[in-house]
């Protein structure tokens, strides 16, 4: 119990430092500044060195090719950049044009992402393969099923598998944090890694100003990327009750309700903002760090907060979580002595400058065929 609290505390501190630009470091608490910062900086430098070594050694490592086109969805920073919703979107789009997708995911952090994808895509032809060695997982599935495309979740860092189309997701709300590498900052790779992308998608784009979007786009171009940039958002689609995941409730069930938003995700602001847009009577929030498992203590805290809200407002109140929280640990949520609902959302490409879902998929398919064509040419030569 104590250990879990301590871990949660330190995650929060590290996340705070990662979101603080160098110019704001002096405002951090003294202990964090004096002790933690040098430690994290040293660790980031060590990571940079090991990346350098591994990228030069990976030049000599054999890279695996799959017999089907490979689309990878990656991130440069941790958490909340819409990677899983993009995988879901791609899977559904390919399914819609009768191309059966194979989703390859590492299944980290208890596998909440893979559980969510499995449930959401249960009405499609998508097959989900979980495992760190994605080439081996793919091989075992490809000889059993008729697969038309492989979608790699978190492929940016997984360079051993050859891919035809690299999609990189960027969170518009915190595009690069303080621009330092993990753990001093949120960057998993230096920004110049973005030149490997075939398409960059700026997620949560509707939640920031046009000027901010321009800044992000020019940072991408300044770091050498020449690829197309798309913009996306999460659009709430429906609600379900924790005990009845297959029964869809319309969004307007929230009207006139007090909603306590509870989440342990990378980007709780976006969640709370989209709930507010649905138009409940009032929203309150309890944020936990990304991938956090709700403890008995948390359950008590959520329950007490809800009781207080009901008492204050003399109104019906509901706990609302994201689908990711639900899939991480549905049983913890069922322990709550309260009405608990789950908000389900879909990724959409924002129609902007004649872009949109169709244009995006056209681009993906164009990149795949160019890559396949080039491979064929090389094989013939
Ligand atoms: C980005 O990568 C980190 C691993 O460092 C992972 O935990 C996180 O879930 C990824 N982000 C998203 C949105 O999937
Ligand atoms: C897939 O097709 C369905 C039914 O036509 C449509 O409602 C949905 O928006 C499509 N999804 C994607 C991601 O293209």
């Amino acid at each position: 119990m104590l250990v879990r609290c301590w871990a949660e505390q330190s995650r929060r501190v590290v996340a705070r430092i990662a979101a603080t630009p160098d110019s704001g470091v002096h405002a951090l608490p003294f202990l964090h500044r004096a002790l933690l910062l040098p430690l994290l900086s040293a660790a980031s430098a060590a990571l940079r060195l090991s990346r350098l070594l591994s990228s030069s050694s990976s030049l000599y490592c054999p890279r695996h090719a799959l017999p089907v086109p490979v689309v990878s969805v990656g991130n440069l920073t941790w958490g909340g950049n819409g990677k899983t919703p993009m995988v879901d979107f791609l899977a559904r789009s390919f399914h819609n044009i009768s191309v059966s997708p194979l989703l390859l995911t590492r299944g980290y952090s208890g596998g909440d992402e893979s559980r969510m994808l499995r449930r959401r895509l249960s009405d499609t032809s998508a097959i989900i393969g979980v495992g760190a060695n994605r080439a081996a997982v793919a091989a075992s599935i490809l000889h059993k099923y008729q697969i038309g495309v492989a979608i790699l979740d978190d492929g940016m860092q997984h360079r051993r598998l050859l891919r035809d189309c690299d999609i990189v997701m960027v969170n518009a709300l915190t595009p690069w944090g303080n621009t330092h590498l993990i753990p001093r900052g949120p960057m998993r790779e230096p920004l110049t890694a973005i030149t490997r992308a075939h398409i960059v998608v700026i997620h949560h784009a509707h939640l920031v100003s046009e000027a901010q979007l321009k800044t992000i786009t020019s940072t991408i171009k300044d770091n050498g990327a020449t690829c197309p940039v798309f913009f996306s958002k999460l659009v709430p689609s429906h609600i379900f009750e924790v005990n009845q995941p297959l029964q869809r409730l319309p969004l307007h069930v929230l009207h006139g309700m007090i909603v306590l938003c509870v989440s342990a995700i990378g980007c709780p602001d976006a969640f709370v903002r989209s709930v507010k847009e649905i138009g409940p009577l009032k929203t309150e929030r309890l944020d936990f760090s990304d991938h956090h498992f709700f403890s008995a203590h948390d359950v008590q805290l959520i329950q007490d907060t809800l009781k207080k809200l009901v008492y204050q407002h003399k109104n019906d109140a509901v706990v609302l979580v994201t689908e990711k929280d639900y899939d991480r640990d549905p049983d913890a949520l069922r322990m709550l002595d309260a009405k608990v609902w789950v908000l389900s959302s879909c990724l959409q490409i924002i129609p902007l400058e004649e872009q949109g879902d169709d244009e995006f998929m056209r681009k993906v398919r164009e990149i795949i065929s160019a890559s396949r064509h080039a491979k064929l040419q090389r094989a013939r030569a």
Side-chain angles (χ1 to χ4, degrees):
M1 185 62 227
L2 203 64
V3 170
R4 176 172 279 170
C5 290
W6 180 82
E8 171 71 6
Q9 286 282 333
S10 30
R11 270 201 297 270
R12 275 165 185 263
V13 170
V14 172
R16 174 160 176 212
I17 291 180
T20 308
D22 288 348
S23 59
V25 158
H26 63 274
L28 290 171
F30 175 73
L31 266 183
H32 299 171
R33 210 170 1 133
L35 291 176
L36 222 50
L37 209 56
L39 256 176
L40 293 173
S41 301
S44 296
L47 177 73
R48 192 171 311 128
L49 188 66
S50 82
R51 278 275 154 71
L52 209 68
L53 293 176
S54 80
S55 69
S56 54
S57 74
S58 77
L59 290 176
Y60 307 102
C61 268
R63 297 183 75 188
H64 267 286
L66 294 185
V68 295
V70 176
V71 180
S72 118
V73 183
N75 60 2
L76 292 178
T77 62
W78 72 41
N81 24 33
K83 213 157 49 73
T84 312
M86 174 52 87
V87 169
D88 175 87
F89 170 86
L90 285 168
R92 207 162 270 284
S93 304
F94 278 113
H95 167 83
N96 275 4
I97 53 167
S98 305
V99 175
S100 296
L102 163 62
L103 276 47
L104 292 171
T105 159
R106 200 173 74 199
Y108 43 76
S109 301
D112 39 336
E113 278 106 349
S114 58
R115 258 198 299 278
M116 169 163 137
L117 288 168
R118 212 178 288 278
R119 193 167 39 76
R120 291 183 60 115
L121 295 167
S122 61
D123 62 333
T124 71
S125 54
I127 304 281
I128 298 170
V130 182
N133 187 344
R134 280 169 254 209
V137 173
S140 74
I141 293 173
L142 286 172
H143 81 265
K144 265 189 276 178
Y145 298 91
Q146 195 81 34
I147 298 290
V149 66
I151 303 170
L152 261 184
D153 184 0
D154 195 17
M156 206 55 185
Q157 280 74 30
H158 193 83
R159 297 216 228 154
R160 297 286 288 282
L161 207 56
L162 287 170
R163 59 299 277 309
D164 299 281
C165 178
D166 255 315
I167 300 173
V168 171
M169 303 297 294
V170 172
N171 181 352
L173 291 169
T174 52
W176 341 103
N178 60 9
T179 71
H180 288 287
L181 286 182
I182 287 172
R184 167 77 174 80
M187 302 291 297
R188 305 174 80 185
E189 291 186 76
L191 247 171
T192 46
I194 207 143
T195 50
R196 292 209 305 274
H198 295 110
I199 296 178
V200 173
V201 178
I202 302 177
H203 190 51
H204 293 315
H206 65 310
L207 298 179
V208 304
S209 69
E210 213 160 295
Q212 279 167 297
L213 284 185
K214 281 226 171 74
T215 309
I216 299 170
T217 318
S218 32
T219 305
I220 291 168
K221 306 255 140 115
D222 291 349
N223 277 279
T226 51
C227 64
V229 176
F230 285 82
F231 304 91
S232 66
K233 61 175 175 180
L234 270 190
V235 183
S237 56
H238 65 274
I239 284 169
F240 62 85
E241 207 262 315
V242 276
N243 291 309
Q244 285 174 305
L246 295 180
Q247 198 169 329
R248 296 173 165 222
L249 304 173
L251 298 173
H252 64 69
V253 291
L254 293 184
H255 292 175
M257 298 274 272
I258 312 278
V259 179
L260 176 60
C261 299
V262 176
S263 67
I265 53 173
C267 199
D269 285 347
F271 169 51
V272 176
R273 283 165 85 157
S274 60
V275 172
K276 281 187 177 152
E277 273 170 27
I278 299 172
L281 195 62
K282 187 171 171 52
T283 46
E284 281 293 339
R285 61 195 284 177
L286 276 178
D287 304 345
F288 296 85
S289 65
D290 200 6
H291 303 302
H292 175 78
F293 277 84
F294 298 125
S295 65
H297 175 263
D298 301 331
V299 166
Q300 193 60 46
L301 175 69
I302 296 168
Q303 216 146 273
D304 292 347
T305 312
L306 194 74
K307 272 206 194 107
K308 232 179 270 166
L309 284 173
V310 172
Y311 180 77
Q312 271 171 10
H313 299 278
K314 312 265 177 296
N315 195 297
D316 219 6
V318 62
V319 172
L320 191 67
V321 301
T322 71
E323 226 173 339
K324 215 170 144 183
D325 297 296
Y326 168 81
D327 282 303
R328 185 178 318 117
D329 193 359
D331 292 336
L333 297 171
R334 291 189 188 116
M335 265 161 55
L336 277 162
D337 179 23
K339 199 182 284 183
V340 185
W341 287 349
V342 185
L343 182 68
S344 184
S345 305
C346 290
L347 182 141
Q348 261 178 24
I349 302 292
I350 299 177
L352 213 74
E353 294 162 14
E354 293 169 37
Q355 291 185 338
D357 291 358
D358 291 344
E359 173 66 12
F360 176 79
M361 283 311 290
R362 204 181 56 72
K363 197 85 222 169
V364 171
R365 301 219 304 275
E366 190 183 296
I367 292 165
I368 289 176
S369 26
S371 158
R372 296 264 119 181
H373 184 74
K375 250 175 229 162
L376 220 62
Q377 295 284 315
R378 273 201 303 276
R380 284 209 189 109

